[in-house]
C-alpha cells in the first residue's frame, strides 16, 4: 500500500532577531526535508513571542493556537535554539512548555514523533550542554531525538546571504532532516499497516 500523504514536519526555532544563525539553520534543515518529500511549517520570529506559559490559563493567543495546531498535525519536529549561558533560550523553552496543552491528546506531547535538534553557540561546552538539555526535554515529552544532531559554531560565520557558508555547515542539517523525515515515513507506514485488516486463512 502506498503512502497517502507527505510527512508533515514542523520546525520551531530562532530568536527575536531575524536572520539569526539558529533561524537560518532551521530554514536550511526544513528545505532539505522538503527535498526529501516532506511538507513543512516554520514557526520562528514573532510567532515565537508567546505569553509566559501558565497552565491555569485556558484562553490561548492566536499564535499559541497555531503552534498547537501544527504540533498536533506533525509527523516530525525540528527544534533549533541558540545556547544562552549553557542552556536553550527561554523563549524556545516557553514555546515547548505549551505542549502541556497536548497532554490529553491521543498522541500526547511528542509521542511517536522524531525530533531533530539543532544548537547554535560560540563554544563547544555550550553546544554540548545545550544539546544534552534539549534531548532530555524531548525524552520527557515522549519524543524520539534523532541519533544525529546539528551543532553550529555561530561565531565562525556559518551563513552567508542566508545560506550555509560551507559544506560542513550544511551537511549536518541535511542529515537531521533526512532522519526526521525517514522516521516519520516509517511511523506513518506502520499506522497504515495497523489499519489494514489481516486475513487469517481458515484450516
Amino acid at each position: 500500500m502506498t503512502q497517502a500523504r507527505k510527512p508533515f514536519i514542523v520546525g520551531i526555532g530562532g530568536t527575536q532577531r531575524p536572520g539569526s544563525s539558529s533561524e537560518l539553520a532551521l530554514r536550511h534543515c526544513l528545505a532539505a526535508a522538503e527535498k526529501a518529500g516532506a511538507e513543512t511549517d516554520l514557526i520562528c520570529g514573532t510567532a515565537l513571542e508567546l505569553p509566559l506559559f501558565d497552565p491555569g490559563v485556558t484562553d490561548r493567543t492566536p499564535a499559541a493556537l497555531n503552534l498547537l495546531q501544527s504540533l498536533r498535525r506533525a509527523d516530525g519536529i525540528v527544534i533549533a535554539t541558540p545556547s544562552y549561558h549553557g542552556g536553550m533560550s527561554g523563549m524556545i523553552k516557553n514555546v515547548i512548555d505549551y505542549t502541556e496543552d497536548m497532554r490529553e491528546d491521543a498522541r500526547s506531547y511528542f509521542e511517536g514523533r522524531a525530533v531533530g535538534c539543532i544548537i547554535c553557540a560560540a563554544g563547544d561546552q555550550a553546544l554540548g550542554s545545550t544539546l544534552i538539555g534539549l534531548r532530555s526535554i524531548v525524552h520527557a515529552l515522549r519524543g524520539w531525538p534523532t541519533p544525529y544532531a546539528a551543532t553550529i559554531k555561530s561565531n565562525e560565520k556559518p551563513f552567508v546571504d542566508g545560506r550555509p557558508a560551507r559544506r560542513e555547515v550544511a551537511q549536518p542539517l541535511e542529515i537531521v532532516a533526512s532522519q526526521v523525515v525517514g522516521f516519520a515515513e516509517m511511523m506513518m507506514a506502520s499506522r497504515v499497516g495497523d489499519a489494514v485488516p489481516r486475513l487469517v486463512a481458515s484450516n
Side-chain angles (χ1 to χ4, degrees):
M1 179 176 290
T2 58
Q3 191 169 285
R5 63 177 178 82
K6 295 180 178 181
F8 182 60
I9 309 301
V10 175
I12 299 169
T15 69
Q16 291 172 310
R17 178 174 62 85
S20 66
S21 294
S22 52
E23 179 183 322
L24 294 176
L26 180 60
R27 287 183 181 276
H28 187 79
C29 186
L30 291 185
E34 290 179 359
K35 288 182 181 179
E39 178 186 355
T40 67
D41 185 23
L42 173 65
I43 298 174
C44 67
T46 57
L48 299 171
E49 296 175 6
L50 305 179
L52 190 63
F53 176 73
D54 182 349
V57 174
T58 56
D59 291 335
R60 297 298 182 211
T61 65
L65 291 173
N66 179 69
L67 166 73
L68 292 166
Q69 181 181 29
S70 288
L71 287 176
R72 285 180 165 125
R73 183 184 163 200
D75 300 298
I77 300 162
V78 179
I79 299 174
T81 180
S83 176
Y84 292 161
H85 310 122
M88 67 192 307
S89 78
M91 186 169 65
I92 299 298
K93 179 59 167 64
N94 186 53
V95 170
I96 293 173
D97 285 345
Y98 272 83
T99 61
E100 184 62 19
D101 285 5
M102 301 166 63
R103 65 187 179 279
E104 301 296 337
D105 290 6
R107 289 195 301 162
S108 57
Y109 304 114
F110 292 164
E111 180 81 34
R113 301 167 177 93
V115 182
C117 300
I118 301 170
I119 309 297
C120 294
D124 292 330
Q125 182 170 318
L127 288 169
S129 61
T130 304
L131 177 58
I132 290 170
L134 179 54
R135 281 180 159 166
S136 296
I137 290 169
V138 172
H139 278 138
L141 292 173
R142 307 177 192 175
W144 297 75
T146 56
Y148 197 88
T151 54
I152 308 294
K153 286 284 194 72
S154 55
N155 63 328
E156 295 181 353
K157 297 183 179 179
F159 298 94
V160 175
D161 296 328
R163 302 176 62 84
R166 299 172 295 280
R167 183 61 189 154
E168 56 265 32
V169 175
Q171 187 174 37
L173 300 170
E174 293 161 9
I175 293 173
V176 169
S178 175
Q179 292 187 349
V180 171
V181 173
F183 186 93
E185 289 174 336
M186 286 189 292
M187 291 298 292
M188 291 167 68
S190 174
R191 288 195 292 271
V192 170
D194 289 343
V196 176
R198 303 187 179 193
L199 302 178
V200 179
S202 59
N203 293 328

PDB file of all heavy atoms in Angstrom, residues 25 28-29 117-118 146 148-152 166-179:
ATOM      1  N   ALA A  25      19.719  28.111  10.210  1.00  0.00           N
ATOM      2  CA  ALA A  25      19.961  26.665  10.275  1.00  0.00           C
ATOM      3  C   ALA A  25      18.654  25.898  10.154  1.00  0.00           C
ATOM      4  O   ALA A  25      18.559  24.896   9.433  1.00  0.00           O
ATOM      5  CB  ALA A  25      20.673  26.318  11.580  1.00  0.00           C
ATOM      6  N   HIS A  28      17.323  25.984   6.550  1.00  0.00           N
ATOM      7  CA  HIS A  28      18.028  25.058   5.654  1.00  0.00           C
ATOM      8  C   HIS A  28      17.602  23.618   5.926  1.00  0.00           C
ATOM      9  O   HIS A  28      17.423  22.831   4.994  1.00  0.00           O
ATOM     10  CB  HIS A  28      19.538  25.198   5.822  1.00  0.00           C
ATOM     11  CG  HIS A  28      20.309  24.397   4.819  1.00  0.00           C
ATOM     12  ND1 HIS A  28      20.498  24.807   3.518  1.00  0.00           N
ATOM     13  CD2 HIS A  28      20.922  23.180   4.923  1.00  0.00           C
ATOM     14  CE1 HIS A  28      21.190  23.894   2.856  1.00  0.00           C
ATOM     15  NE2 HIS A  28      21.461  22.894   3.686  1.00  0.00           N
ATOM     16  N   CYS A  29      17.438  23.280   7.189  1.00  0.00           N
ATOM     17  CA  CYS A  29      17.008  21.920   7.545  1.00  0.00           C
ATOM     18  C   CYS A  29      15.627  21.613   6.971  1.00  0.00           C
ATOM     19  O   CYS A  29      15.403  20.545   6.403  1.00  0.00           O
ATOM     20  CB  CYS A  29      17.014  21.771   9.067  1.00  0.00           C
ATOM     21  SG  CYS A  29      16.674  20.100   9.648  1.00  0.00           S
ATOM     22  N   CYS A 117      17.380  17.952  16.584  1.00  0.00           N
ATOM     23  CA  CYS A 117      17.888  19.024  17.458  1.00  0.00           C
ATOM     24  C   CYS A 117      19.004  19.784  16.767  1.00  0.00           C
ATOM     25  O   CYS A 117      19.947  19.180  16.235  1.00  0.00           O
ATOM     26  CB  CYS A 117      18.404  18.429  18.768  1.00  0.00           C
ATOM     27  SG  CYS A 117      17.159  17.537  19.724  1.00  0.00           S
ATOM     28  N   ILE A 118      18.889  21.110  16.785  1.00  0.00           N
ATOM     29  CA  ILE A 118      19.913  21.989  16.222  1.00  0.00           C
ATOM     30  C   ILE A 118      20.305  23.001  17.291  1.00  0.00           C
ATOM     31  O   ILE A 118      19.444  23.673  17.858  1.00  0.00           O
ATOM     32  CB  ILE A 118      19.392  22.736  14.986  1.00  0.00           C
ATOM     33  CG1 ILE A 118      18.950  21.752  13.893  1.00  0.00           C
ATOM     34  CG2 ILE A 118      20.447  23.696  14.446  1.00  0.00           C
ATOM     35  CD1 ILE A 118      18.212  22.412  12.743  1.00  0.00           C
ATOM     36  N   THR A 146      16.491  12.347  17.225  1.00  0.00           N
ATOM     37  CA  THR A 146      17.209  11.628  16.178  1.00  0.00           C
ATOM     38  C   THR A 146      18.625  11.299  16.639  1.00  0.00           C
ATOM     39  O   THR A 146      19.203  12.026  17.447  1.00  0.00           O
ATOM     40  CB  THR A 146      17.264  12.453  14.883  1.00  0.00           C
ATOM     41  OG1 THR A 146      17.853  13.725  15.143  1.00  0.00           O
ATOM     42  CG2 THR A 146      15.878  12.646  14.292  1.00  0.00           C
ATOM     43  N   TYR A 148      21.318  11.696  15.172  1.00  0.00           N
ATOM     44  CA  TYR A 148      22.244  12.749  14.777  1.00  0.00           C
ATOM     45  C   TYR A 148      21.656  14.108  15.120  1.00  0.00           C
ATOM     46  O   TYR A 148      20.460  14.341  14.920  1.00  0.00           O
ATOM     47  CB  TYR A 148      22.525  12.671  13.273  1.00  0.00           C
ATOM     48  CG  TYR A 148      23.753  13.439  12.841  1.00  0.00           C
ATOM     49  CD1 TYR A 148      25.009  12.846  12.843  1.00  0.00           C
ATOM     50  CD2 TYR A 148      23.647  14.764  12.433  1.00  0.00           C
ATOM     51  CE1 TYR A 148      26.142  13.548  12.449  1.00  0.00           C
ATOM     52  CE2 TYR A 148      24.777  15.477  12.037  1.00  0.00           C
ATOM     53  CZ  TYR A 148      26.010  14.864  12.047  1.00  0.00           C
ATOM     54  OH  TYR A 148      27.118  15.564  11.667  1.00  0.00           O
ATOM     55  N   ALA A 149      22.490  14.997  15.633  1.00  0.00           N
ATOM     56  CA  ALA A 149      22.078  16.373  15.912  1.00  0.00           C
ATOM     57  C   ALA A 149      23.065  17.315  15.230  1.00  0.00           C
ATOM     58  O   ALA A 149      24.214  16.948  14.976  1.00  0.00           O
ATOM     59  CB  ALA A 149      22.054  16.634  17.412  1.00  0.00           C
ATOM     60  N   ALA A 150      22.622  18.526  14.949  1.00  0.00           N
ATOM     61  CA  ALA A 150      23.492  19.510  14.307  1.00  0.00           C
ATOM     62  C   ALA A 150      23.924  20.557  15.317  1.00  0.00           C
ATOM     63  O   ALA A 150      23.082  21.168  15.985  1.00  0.00           O
ATOM     64  CB  ALA A 150      22.763  20.183  13.144  1.00  0.00           C
ATOM     65  N   THR A 151      25.218  20.754  15.454  1.00  0.00           N
ATOM     66  CA  THR A 151      25.760  21.784  16.330  1.00  0.00           C
ATOM     67  C   THR A 151      26.539  22.770  15.462  1.00  0.00           C
ATOM     68  O   THR A 151      27.461  22.373  14.739  1.00  0.00           O
ATOM     69  CB  THR A 151      26.662  21.190  17.420  1.00  0.00           C
ATOM     70  OG1 THR A 151      27.673  20.378  16.818  1.00  0.00           O
ATOM     71  CG2 THR A 151      25.840  20.342  18.382  1.00  0.00           C
ATOM     72  N   ILE A 152      26.157  24.037  15.524  1.00  0.00           N
ATOM     73  CA  ILE A 152      26.691  25.062  14.636  1.00  0.00           C
ATOM     74  C   ILE A 152      27.476  26.093  15.446  1.00  0.00           C
ATOM     75  O   ILE A 152      26.953  26.660  16.408  1.00  0.00           O
ATOM     76  CB  ILE A 152      25.556  25.775  13.877  1.00  0.00           C
ATOM     77  CG1 ILE A 152      24.639  24.753  13.173  1.00  0.00           C
ATOM     78  CG2 ILE A 152      26.116  26.800  12.905  1.00  0.00           C
ATOM     79  CD1 ILE A 152      25.280  23.990  12.068  1.00  0.00           C
ATOM     80  N   ARG A 166      29.585  26.843   4.238  1.00  0.00           N
ATOM     81  CA  ARG A 166      30.457  25.723   3.935  1.00  0.00           C
ATOM     82  C   ARG A 166      29.662  24.421   3.968  1.00  0.00           C
ATOM     83  O   ARG A 166      28.627  24.324   4.621  1.00  0.00           O
ATOM     84  CB  ARG A 166      31.602  25.644   4.970  1.00  0.00           C
ATOM     85  CG  ARG A 166      32.500  26.876   4.993  1.00  0.00           C
ATOM     86  CD  ARG A 166      33.488  26.842   6.143  1.00  0.00           C
ATOM     87  NE  ARG A 166      32.823  26.908   7.445  1.00  0.00           N
ATOM     88  CZ  ARG A 166      32.371  28.039   7.995  1.00  0.00           C
ATOM     89  NH1 ARG A 166      32.477  29.192   7.348  1.00  0.00           N
ATOM     90  NH2 ARG A 166      31.787  28.039   9.175  1.00  0.00           N
ATOM     91  N   ARG A 167      30.209  23.421   3.289  1.00  0.00           N
ATOM     92  CA  ARG A 167      29.540  22.124   3.256  1.00  0.00           C
ATOM     93  C   ARG A 167      29.435  21.519   4.646  1.00  0.00           C
ATOM     94  O   ARG A 167      28.447  20.869   4.967  1.00  0.00           O
ATOM     95  CB  ARG A 167      30.306  21.166   2.322  1.00  0.00           C
ATOM     96  CG  ARG A 167      29.643  19.803   2.152  1.00  0.00           C
ATOM     97  CD  ARG A 167      28.267  19.940   1.561  1.00  0.00           C
ATOM     98  NE  ARG A 167      27.537  18.676   1.583  1.00  0.00           N
ATOM     99  CZ  ARG A 167      26.221  18.585   1.604  1.00  0.00           C
ATOM    100  NH1 ARG A 167      25.481  19.681   1.598  1.00  0.00           N
ATOM    101  NH2 ARG A 167      25.630  17.419   1.637  1.00  0.00           N
ATOM    102  N   GLU A 168      30.436  21.757   5.493  1.00  0.00           N
ATOM    103  CA  GLU A 168      30.389  21.184   6.843  1.00  0.00           C
ATOM    104  C   GLU A 168      29.323  21.826   7.712  1.00  0.00           C
ATOM    105  O   GLU A 168      28.979  21.295   8.773  1.00  0.00           O
ATOM    106  CB  GLU A 168      31.757  21.273   7.523  1.00  0.00           C
ATOM    107  CG  GLU A 168      32.354  22.649   7.609  1.00  0.00           C
ATOM    108  CD  GLU A 168      33.312  22.943   6.471  1.00  0.00           C
ATOM    109  OE1 GLU A 168      33.094  22.423   5.362  1.00  0.00           O
ATOM    110  OE2 GLU A 168      34.294  23.685   6.699  1.00  0.00           O
ATOM    111  N   VAL A 169      28.766  22.961   7.290  1.00  0.00           N
ATOM    112  CA  VAL A 169      27.619  23.555   7.977  1.00  0.00           C
ATOM    113  C   VAL A 169      26.321  22.943   7.445  1.00  0.00           C
ATOM    114  O   VAL A 169      25.421  22.602   8.205  1.00  0.00           O
ATOM    115  CB  VAL A 169      27.595  25.089   7.794  1.00  0.00           C
ATOM    116  CG1 VAL A 169      26.332  25.686   8.416  1.00  0.00           C
ATOM    117  CG2 VAL A 169      28.830  25.718   8.414  1.00  0.00           C
ATOM    118  N   ALA A 170      26.239  22.798   6.137  1.00  0.00           N
ATOM    119  CA  ALA A 170      25.008  22.294   5.514  1.00  0.00           C
ATOM    120  C   ALA A 170      24.757  20.817   5.792  1.00  0.00           C
ATOM    121  O   ALA A 170      23.620  20.403   6.056  1.00  0.00           O
ATOM    122  CB  ALA A 170      25.070  22.527   4.004  1.00  0.00           C
ATOM    123  N   GLN A 171      25.810  20.012   5.744  1.00  0.00           N
ATOM    124  CA  GLN A 171      25.622  18.561   5.817  1.00  0.00           C
ATOM    125  C   GLN A 171      24.947  18.083   7.100  1.00  0.00           C
ATOM    126  O   GLN A 171      24.014  17.267   7.043  1.00  0.00           O
ATOM    127  CB  GLN A 171      26.955  17.845   5.619  1.00  0.00           C
ATOM    128  CG  GLN A 171      26.795  16.329   5.506  1.00  0.00           C
ATOM    129  CD  GLN A 171      28.103  15.654   5.173  1.00  0.00           C
ATOM    130  OE1 GLN A 171      29.172  16.064   5.653  1.00  0.00           O
ATOM    131  NE2 GLN A 171      28.051  14.628   4.337  1.00  0.00           N
ATOM    132  N   PRO A 172      25.366  18.557   8.283  1.00  0.00           N
ATOM    133  CA  PRO A 172      24.679  18.092   9.494  1.00  0.00           C
ATOM    134  C   PRO A 172      23.186  18.433   9.502  1.00  0.00           C
ATOM    135  O   PRO A 172      22.374  17.629   9.969  1.00  0.00           O
ATOM    136  CB  PRO A 172      25.419  18.823  10.620  1.00  0.00           C
ATOM    137  CG  PRO A 172      26.751  19.160  10.052  1.00  0.00           C
ATOM    138  CD  PRO A 172      26.513  19.431   8.609  1.00  0.00           C
ATOM    139  N   LEU A 173      22.829  19.590   8.982  1.00  0.00           N
ATOM    140  CA  LEU A 173      21.422  19.987   8.937  1.00  0.00           C
ATOM    141  C   LEU A 173      20.638  19.079   7.997  1.00  0.00           C
ATOM    142  O   LEU A 173      19.481  18.725   8.269  1.00  0.00           O
ATOM    143  CB  LEU A 173      21.307  21.441   8.483  1.00  0.00           C
ATOM    144  CG  LEU A 173      22.014  22.458   9.396  1.00  0.00           C
ATOM    145  CD1 LEU A 173      22.060  23.826   8.728  1.00  0.00           C
ATOM    146  CD2 LEU A 173      21.323  22.548  10.748  1.00  0.00           C
ATOM    147  N   GLU A 174      21.263  18.684   6.910  1.00  0.00           N
ATOM    148  CA  GLU A 174      20.608  17.792   5.954  1.00  0.00           C
ATOM    149  C   GLU A 174      20.472  16.379   6.510  1.00  0.00           C
ATOM    150  O   GLU A 174      19.481  15.685   6.239  1.00  0.00           O
ATOM    151  CB  GLU A 174      21.387  17.804   4.637  1.00  0.00           C
ATOM    152  CG  GLU A 174      21.299  19.162   3.933  1.00  0.00           C
ATOM    153  CD  GLU A 174      22.380  19.382   2.887  1.00  0.00           C
ATOM    154  OE1 GLU A 174      23.114  18.412   2.573  1.00  0.00           O
ATOM    155  OE2 GLU A 174      22.501  20.526   2.400  1.00  0.00           O
ATOM    156  N   ILE A 175      21.439  15.953   7.313  1.00  0.00           N
ATOM    157  CA  ILE A 175      21.332  14.639   7.957  1.00  0.00           C
ATOM    158  C   ILE A 175      20.174  14.635   8.957  1.00  0.00           C
ATOM    159  O   ILE A 175      19.384  13.683   9.018  1.00  0.00           O
ATOM    160  CB  ILE A 175      22.656  14.256   8.645  1.00  0.00           C
ATOM    161  CG1 ILE A 175      23.749  14.030   7.607  1.00  0.00           C
ATOM    162  CG2 ILE A 175      22.479  12.997   9.503  1.00  0.00           C
ATOM    163  CD1 ILE A 175      25.133  13.818   8.193  1.00  0.00           C
ATOM    164  N   VAL A 176      20.069  15.693   9.750  1.00  0.00           N
ATOM    165  CA  VAL A 176      18.946  15.798  10.693  1.00  0.00           C
ATOM    166  C   VAL A 176      17.629  15.724   9.942  1.00  0.00           C
ATOM    167  O   VAL A 176      16.704  14.991  10.324  1.00  0.00           O
ATOM    168  CB  VAL A 176      19.040  17.102  11.510  1.00  0.00           C
ATOM    169  CG1 VAL A 176      17.744  17.335  12.292  1.00  0.00           C
ATOM    170  CG2 VAL A 176      20.216  17.049  12.462  1.00  0.00           C
ATOM    171  N   ALA A 177      17.510  16.474   8.841  1.00  0.00           N
ATOM    172  CA  ALA A 177      16.281  16.462   8.052  1.00  0.00           C
ATOM    173  C   ALA A 177      15.970  15.062   7.542  1.00  0.00           C
ATOM    174  O   ALA A 177      14.824  14.593   7.623  1.00  0.00           O
ATOM    175  CB  ALA A 177      16.407  17.435   6.880  1.00  0.00           C
ATOM    176  N   SER A 178      16.987  14.377   7.031  1.00  0.00           N
ATOM    177  CA  SER A 178      16.795  13.028   6.494  1.00  0.00           C
ATOM    178  C   SER A 178      16.304  12.065   7.563  1.00  0.00           C
ATOM    179  O   SER A 178      15.396  11.249   7.313  1.00  0.00           O
ATOM    180  CB  SER A 178      18.107  12.525   5.893  1.00  0.00           C
ATOM    181  OG  SER A 178      17.997  11.182   5.475  1.00  0.00           O
ATOM    182  N   GLN A 179      16.867  12.159   8.766  1.00  0.00           N
ATOM    183  CA  GLN A 179      16.461  11.239   9.831  1.00  0.00           C
ATOM    184  C   GLN A 179      15.047  11.540  10.332  1.00  0.00           C
ATOM    185  O   GLN A 179      14.281  10.612  10.604  1.00  0.00           O
ATOM    186  CB  GLN A 179      17.476  11.292  10.969  1.00  0.00           C
ATOM    187  CG  GLN A 179      18.829  10.714  10.579  1.00  0.00           C
ATOM    188  CD  GLN A 179      19.803  10.608  11.735  1.00  0.00           C
ATOM    189  OE1 GLN A 179      19.573  11.139  12.823  1.00  0.00           O
ATOM    190  NE2 GLN A 179      20.915   9.920  11.510  1.00  0.00           N
TER     191      GLN A 179
END
